[in-house]
Amino acid sequence: MNKIEELEKLLRTEVLIQLDEEIATIKKFLAKQKDSQDLKIELDYMLDVKKYYNQVISYIEKKILSEEDAVKILQDLEDMTDDEDDV
């Protein structure tokens, strides 16, 4: 499996699913705490992240994402996972 295929699989089977779950959770909290600026900021951030990864999927589908870019994105995802594990 090349890096583009690996990235697509990871985005579709893990990353976007986790993002959707996180967004849903933030929306539930926001429904209870409507005035929470922190939650609004967090929701906006998560929506931007989801938009970015959906754009990556679109580039993969259009076959315009380079192998080099796929490697960089995979490395960024790995770094984020490492950061979460450190917490």
Side-chain angles (χ1 to χ4, degrees):
M1 178 183 316
N2 67 36
K3 293 297 181 182
I4 295 172
E5 291 169 342
E6 182 181 334
L7 176 60
E8 182 178 19
K9 181 180 177 187
L10 183 64
L11 290 176
R12 290 186 190 274
T13 62
E14 292 182 34
V15 174
L16 289 171
I17 293 169
Q18 290 174 348
L19 278 169
D20 285 339
E21 290 170 358
E22 186 70 22
I23 289 167
T25 300
I26 294 169
K27 285 181 177 180
K28 284 180 189 174
F29 283 118
L30 198 52
K32 295 176 186 174
Q33 303 172 25
K34 295 182 190 330
D35 296 332
S36 174
Q37 282 303 114
D38 290 341
L39 286 174
K40 289 176 184 176
I41 291 168
E42 184 71 14
L43 179 60
D44 287 344
Y45 172 75
M46 288 298 186
L47 291 170
D48 285 344
V49 171
K50 182 178 177 183
K51 182 178 176 183
Y52 170 75
Y53 287 126
N54 280 328
Q55 185 79 33
V56 171
I57 293 281
S58 174
Y59 287 173
I60 291 170
E61 290 171 346
K62 293 175 184 176
K63 301 191 184 318
I64 57 176
L65 185 75
S66 71
E67 188 85 12
E68 182 180 318
D69 286 338
V71 169
K72 288 177 185 176
I73 296 167
L74 283 166
Q75 183 61 51
D76 289 344
L77 287 168
E78 185 177 315
D79 290 346
M80 285 191 293
T81 302
D82 290 344
D83 289 345
E84 287 175 5
D85 291 344
D86 290 344
V87 174

